[in-house]
């Protein structure tokens, strides 16, 4: 979503940090470029103007221009103001009300209300352990009520039985009553939308609000609609009164202007963002993390949280036991690749690493993408059980058969086997320390580098889901203190193809990217 803006702001601010001293003219010239970059990203004009004015006011002070590293001070000011523009602190869904808490979803047709309703219900059920009832009030769109019923069935979440001919306000009353009788903690009302804002829609929303008395009214807006999403939020807030925003399709290739403008224009917090089609792909909106991503500072906290959700504790323990014996076969390699896929693939992981935003372009230029993982897994799956357990069996005739089964050639199989040998050697080195799992190692080491010994350090990461959220938030601050949170700052540890390398692997080089990640041959070493 923010890649273009990240590239533009990164180049502008890197130009400042590379200088020894700054004049007011330097700062003004940089801010003109920042202003242009934000306008091109579709951020509202009045928001851009107030943002650049605030930055200029702080950045041209005598103490900035005379400080030891004025360029870095300007970057910090831009970073802080970006967080302020996005809303300061993250705000979640407020459930502090007598049960059942009524959450009303509003928005235009096609913005993703029904899918988002199911995602929120799934999130509250799995994370908050709440009993949720979903009710569709959309009597106009064909099969809208049936769609929500099916989503509820998939996620094992209760939905209000459909009664043909009922009005939306009657359905709302019945939903609240059913939630009380059924002992539900939360009832989510999925209201109807239109292709545009009109008077009947607003009257219907007001009637539903009066009848159901919702504690939260969430506006679902498509982040790809840009400036129009800001006007939409303003109109709904004036007529119905929203308590928060949910932005969908944040994984798209939009310019990000809606996300940067809506909080500043409406004063309402962005509570959640949709980052994919899957039921689990809904995240809380954290202004600091988004600002860090935009300025190329990485997003360690989200990376650790993602690891907590996706690292399988039992598999990691089994891997640790095998590694202690110095064993690492092709089944283990496939598990590691799948784990990395779950965490967003190579691009998703690298995008969250401090100082490594530029690696995405280098990987793309070398023809390395996340489809590579899928191809490698396909090759492994084309092997017999014996071949996966003992790669030494793979002679020429077997490779020809596997290549035909995986739709590839023998060269790709040779690359995979070479990568496996290199990883096996690396795992043997780690095996003496009894750790287990590349992703677990990487995440554990990352925490260890920042002094969070309680997260496991080189001892891997025992159950991250039980860590105090405040401790997770402390990760970012500790990263900055360790010098990891600066654009282009790199990360201590491996050296080689990745700038600075990845911490936590004992300084050993991972084979692949010229001493970088495993399984991605081809990137040249830094000269």
């Amino acid at each position: 979503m923010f890649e273009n803006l990240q590239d533009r702001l990164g180049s502008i601010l890197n130009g400042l940090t590379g200088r020894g001293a700054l004049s007011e003219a330097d700062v003004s010239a940089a801010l003109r470029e920042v202003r242009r970059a934000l306008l091109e990203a579709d951020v509202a004009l009045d928001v851009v103007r107030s943002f650049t004015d605030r930055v200029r006011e702080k950045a041209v002070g005598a103490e900035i221009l005379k400080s030891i590293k004025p360029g870095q001070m300007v970057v910090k000011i831009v970073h802080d103001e970006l967080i302020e523009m996005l809303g300061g602190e993250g705000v979640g869904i407020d459930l502090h009300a007598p049960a059942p808490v009524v959450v009303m979803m509003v928005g235009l047709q096609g913005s993703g209300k029904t899918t988002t309703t199911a995602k929120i219900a799934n999130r509250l059920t799995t994370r908050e352990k709440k009993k949720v009832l979903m009710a569709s009030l959309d009597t106009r769109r064909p099969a809208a009520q049936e769609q929500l019923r099916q989503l509820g069935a998939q996620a094992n979440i209760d939905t209000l039985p459909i009664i043909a001919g009922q009005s939306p306000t009657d359905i709302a009353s019945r939903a609240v009553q059913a939630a009380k009788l059924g002992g539900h903690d939360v009832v989510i009302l999925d209201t109807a939308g239109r292709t545009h804002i009109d008077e009947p829609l607003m009257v219907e929303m007001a009637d539903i609000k009066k009848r159901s008395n919702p504690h939260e009214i969430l506006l679902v807006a498509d982040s790809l609609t840009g400036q129009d999403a800001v006007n939409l939020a303003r109109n709904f807030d004036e007529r119905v009164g929203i308590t928060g925003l949910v932005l969908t399709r944040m994984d798209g290739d939009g310019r990000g202007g809606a996300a940067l403008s809506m909080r500043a224009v409406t004063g309402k917090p962005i509570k959640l963002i949709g980052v994919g089609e899957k039921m689990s792909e809904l995240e809380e909106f954290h202004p600091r993390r988004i600002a860090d991503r935009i300025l190329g500072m990485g997003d360690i906290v989200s990376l650790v949280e993602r690891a907590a959700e996706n690292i399988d504790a039992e598999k990691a323990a089994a891997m640790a036991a095998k590694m202690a014996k110095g064993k690492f076969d092709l089944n283990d390699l496939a598990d590691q690749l799948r784990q990395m896929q779950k965490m967003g693939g190579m691009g998703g992981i690298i995008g969250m690493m401090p100082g490594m935003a530029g690696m995405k372009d280098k990987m793309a230029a070398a023809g390395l993408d996340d489809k590579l993982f899928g191809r490698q897994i396909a090759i492994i799956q084309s092997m017999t059980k014996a071949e996966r357990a003992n790669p030494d069996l793979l002679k020429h005739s077997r490779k020809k058969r596997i290549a035909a089964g995986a739709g590839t050639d023998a060269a790709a199989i040779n690359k995979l086997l070479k990568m496996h040998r290199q990883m096996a050697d690396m795992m043997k080195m780690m095996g003496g320390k009894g750790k287990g799992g590349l992703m677990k190692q990487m995440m554990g080491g990352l925490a260890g580098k920042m002094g969070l010994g309680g997260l496991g350090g080189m001892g891997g990461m025992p159950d991250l889901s039980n860590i105090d959220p405040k401790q997770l938030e402390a990760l970012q601050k500790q990263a900055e203190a360790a010098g990891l949170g600066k654009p282009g700052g790199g990360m201590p540890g491996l050296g080689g193809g990745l700038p600075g390398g990845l911490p936590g692997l004992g300084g050993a080089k991972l084979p692949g990217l010229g001493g970088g990640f495993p399984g991605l041959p081809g990137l040249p070493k830094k000269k």
Side-chain angles (χ1 to χ4, degrees), residues 59-106:
V60 297
E63 61 194 52
I64 298 296
L65 300 178
K66 292 178 182 176
S67 65
I68 299 171
K69 295 182 178 178
Q72 288 187 3
M73 287 297 289
V74 174
V75 172
K76 183 182 185 306
I77 291 167
V78 171
H79 179 245
D80 291 345
E81 290 301 327
L82 201 52
I83 293 171
E84 193 59 34
M85 181 166 75
L86 289 166
E89 293 298 320
V91 180
I93 294 177
D94 182 11
L95 299 178
H96 295 99
V101 180
V102 181
V103 178
M104 180 175 163
M105 311 291 287
V106 300

Side-chain angles (χ1 to χ4, degrees), residues 162-343:
I162 301 166
I163 297 178
Q166 270 199 321
S167 69
T169 50
D170 289 340
I171 297 172
S173 298
R174 182 162 62 92
V176 174
Q177 188 62 29
K180 286 178 181 174
L181 294 172
H184 292 85
D185 301 305
V186 182
V187 56
I188 306 179
L189 305 178
D190 176 27
T191 65
R194 304 279 194 284
T195 52
H196 60 90
I197 293 172
D198 59 15
E199 191 58 28
L201 170 67
M202 290 306 184
V203 170
E204 184 179 293
M205 295 298 109
D207 288 344
I208 293 169
K209 180 183 177 183
K210 192 181 294 183
R211 188 73 71 91
S212 61
N213 190 28
H215 185 63
E216 285 267 30
I217 301 177
L218 301 178
L219 172 66
V220 181
D222 187 338
S223 59
L224 300 186
T225 53
Q227 285 298 293
D228 201 41
V230 178
N231 299 327
L232 170 78
R234 196 184 272 129
N235 285 329
F236 265 101
D237 191 34
E238 287 169 358
R239 294 297 301 274
V240 185
I242 60 176
T243 59
L245 303 153
V246 181
L247 292 182
T248 59
R249 294 209 275 184
M250 286 288 283
D251 56 324
D253 57 1
R255 291 171 290 186
L260 294 172
S261 303
M262 289 176 88
R263 172 64 174 82
V265 170
T266 64
K268 307 296 180 183
I270 300 169
K271 299 202 169 190
L272 297 162
I273 51 175
V275 293
E277 295 294 320
K278 294 177 187 172
M279 197 70 82
S280 60
E281 291 178 327
L282 184 75
E283 295 180 358
E284 287 184 3
F285 184 84
H286 294 279
R288 173 178 284 276
R289 301 187 198 180
I290 297 293
D292 286 352
R293 285 190 215 181
I294 291 172
L295 294 182
M297 297 178 181
D299 185 359
I300 291 171
V301 183
S302 292
L303 186 57
V304 171
E305 285 180 346
R306 197 178 286 182
E309 290 173 17
N310 290 297
I311 290 175
D312 187 317
E314 289 183 14
K315 282 188 178 179
M319 174 75 75
K322 289 185 77 171
M323 280 175 54
K325 299 173 185 175
K327 293 181 180 177
F328 182 77
D329 62 24
L330 288 166
N331 287 313
D332 300 322
L333 175 58
D335 283 341
Q336 295 294 297
L337 294 172
R338 288 189 194 100
Q339 225 168 54
M340 294 180 87
Q341 274 184 324
K342 281 184 185 177
M343 287 188 63

